[in-house]
Amino acid sequence: MLEDRTTTAPSATAWPAAYPQGYAVVDVETTGLARDDRIISAAVYRLDARGEVEDHWYTLVNPERDPGPVWIHGLTSEVLRDAPLFPDVAEEFAARLDGRVLVAHNAVFDWQMIAREYARSQREAPVRQRLCTIALSKALDLPLPNHKLESLAAHFGVVQQRAHHALDDARVLAEAFRPSLLAAAAGDVRLPLHECRPLTEWSDRPAARIGQQAGYGSYRPNSWRPSRKRPACPHPNPGRYEEGKRLKQGMRVAFSGDTSVERDLLEDRAVEAGLHVATSLSRLTSLLVTNDPESGTSKVVKARQFGTPVMDEAAFGQLLADVEPADG
């Protein structure tokens, strides 16, 4: 028997005046997770101020390169060959984003991919704010076992039909976002809105063209990168991160695996916040940031051995906005 999770909508007079007037719930499927990967499909559900669906839109996109992990998204080179290029759908996509808050599950990833595609097209995406449903579920203190979309959907009784299909993922998120929004309004919860800054310049590195070696062997996550020498962190290490608390200046943070935000940029943000970016993991490491905690990388294995706290990129990005100053 399903638990009743119906949320009573606030009256018109009680609705928070500071809440946005409209939302664009977005999902994109991509050729991978690195900065030079491309969008291969996109979906948008437009919602009104209270989360009611107005319309939806979906498109395939020819990435002009290998489609990446076909076993995940199911979009082969043959399927994408006759799809429109991103510049061909950019205007329609923009019309559905314009004037709305972009909502996505791990919104920083979807926003970065969209911003890069518009920059490649020498345009700007008309998005000024984004809302991550992972951050919202945390603000609402939802009892979820993890931060996967399927867990959020199950909590609200939303049935997912085709995981990793942009249109169905966007539909599922839209259906789960509405009760989340109503719960936030009823509890006068401040929405976790973040500013979006469009990219204005872009240069691509060479990539395999579409149709070349499609399949598992052609997908190469951008996991290797030269190390950068950074100045020593001026703050002492306060110890390990504790769940539910703020990050504190001086904490040693290590990263493992691919990140949706370019790794150097993510590390720069951590350093600017007063954290120590560690290139390896030891018993002194305060936190490991990874989007794949089940992987067998050396850092993930050591984190298990040492009991080092592990967090995904989206959660880490939220905590970066409010890092506790170092003692003294």
Side-chain angles (χ1 to χ4, degrees):
M1 180 176 180
L2 288 175
E3 179 184 348
D4 183 6
R5 298 186 177 93
T6 304
T7 302
T8 302
S11 65
T13 55
W15 193 263
Y19 277 25
Q21 294 303 301
Y23 304 89
V25 177
V26 173
D27 186 75
V28 297
E29 296 300 318
T30 67
T31 61
L33 305 175
R35 70 182 297 274
D36 53 351
D37 277 299
R38 305 295 301 272
I39 290 176
I40 55 176
S41 66
V44 181
Y45 268 73
R46 289 196 288 192
L47 312 182
D48 66 15
R50 292 174 176 251
E52 297 289 348
V53 175
E54 296 177 335
D55 59 27
H56 64 267
W57 172 81
Y58 170 76
T59 185
L60 295 175
V61 180
N62 184 336
E64 299 183 280
R65 54 157 289 175
D66 181 270
V70 174
W71 65 94
I72 295 177
H73 52 63
L75 298 176
T76 64
S77 298
E78 289 71 24
V79 170
L80 297 171
R81 193 181 307 280
D82 296 326
L85 304 179
F86 189 85
D88 299 329
V89 302
E91 184 175 350
E92 178 69 15
F93 200 175
R96 294 178 177 277
L97 299 174
D98 195 19
R100 297 169 184 265
V101 170
L102 184 151
V103 177
H105 203 65
N106 191 5
V108 68
F109 172 75
D110 293 80
W111 163 242
Q112 287 287 335
M113 294 302 299
I114 292 167
R116 290 168 188 161
E117 289 288 6
Y118 274 94
R120 288 185 184 96
S121 304
Q122 299 182 331
R123 308 182 190 198
E124 287 188 8
V127 178
R128 296 298 171 260
Q129 287 184 308
R130 68 177 183 270
L131 186 157
C132 180
T133 47
I134 295 175
L136 180 57
S137 66
K138 290 182 177 181
L140 295 172
D141 198 24
L142 299 182
L144 305 180
N146 53 51
H147 301 306
K148 295 180 179 179
L149 176 58
E150 62 192 50
S151 297
L152 181 64
H155 177 77
F156 288 113
V158 180
V159 177
Q160 189 166 26
Q161 297 171 348
R162 296 182 63 186
H164 299 295
H165 184 283
L167 183 60
D168 195 57
D169 280 353
R171 174 193 62 80
V172 167
L173 190 57
E175 291 185 20
F177 176 65
R178 182 176 181 274
S180 298
L181 180 63
L182 295 177
D188 199 24
V189 174
R190 183 168 176 251
L191 295 180
L193 301 174
H194 288 268
E195 179 185 6
C196 291
R197 297 182 180 180
L199 297 175
T200 56
E201 296 181 1
W202 186 262
S203 61
D204 264 323
R205 292 174 290 190
R209 309 297 288 183
I210 189 166
Q212 294 180 340
Q213 299 180 323
Y216 184 92
S218 62
Y219 179 56
R220 295 288 185 270
N222 186 24
S223 56
W224 181 88
R225 38 185 282 283
S227 61
R228 294 174 60 188
K229 188 172 180 60
R230 300 180 183 276
C233 181
H235 310 296
N237 185 355
R240 290 185 171 178
Y241 169 76
E242 295 182 35
E243 187 175 358
K245 294 187 177 181
R246 296 160 65 189
L247 293 171
K248 190 170 185 177
Q249 289 182 331
M251 283 186 171
R252 296 176 64 95
V253 180
F255 297 87
S256 177
D258 291 312
T259 52
S260 55
V261 175
E262 188 175 355
R263 176 72 70 81
D264 286 342
L265 176 59
L266 189 59
E267 291 184 354
D268 286 345
R269 289 179 58 198
V271 170
E272 289 169 4
L275 304 176
H276 177 140
V277 173
T279 57
S280 60
L281 195 139
S282 71
R283 296 184 187 277
L284 298 177
T285 305
S286 307
L287 176 69
L288 175 66
V289 178
T290 178
N291 289 326
D292 189 4
E294 304 304 319
S295 70
T297 66
S298 61
K299 289 179 183 176
V300 169
V301 171
K302 286 183 178 179
R304 293 197 195 103
Q305 292 173 346
F306 298 152
T308 305
V310 177
M311 178 183 296
D312 63 30
E313 178 188 355
F316 179 70
Q318 297 294 332
L319 289 177
L320 273 183
D322 185 24
V323 176
E324 182 180 348
D327 295 331

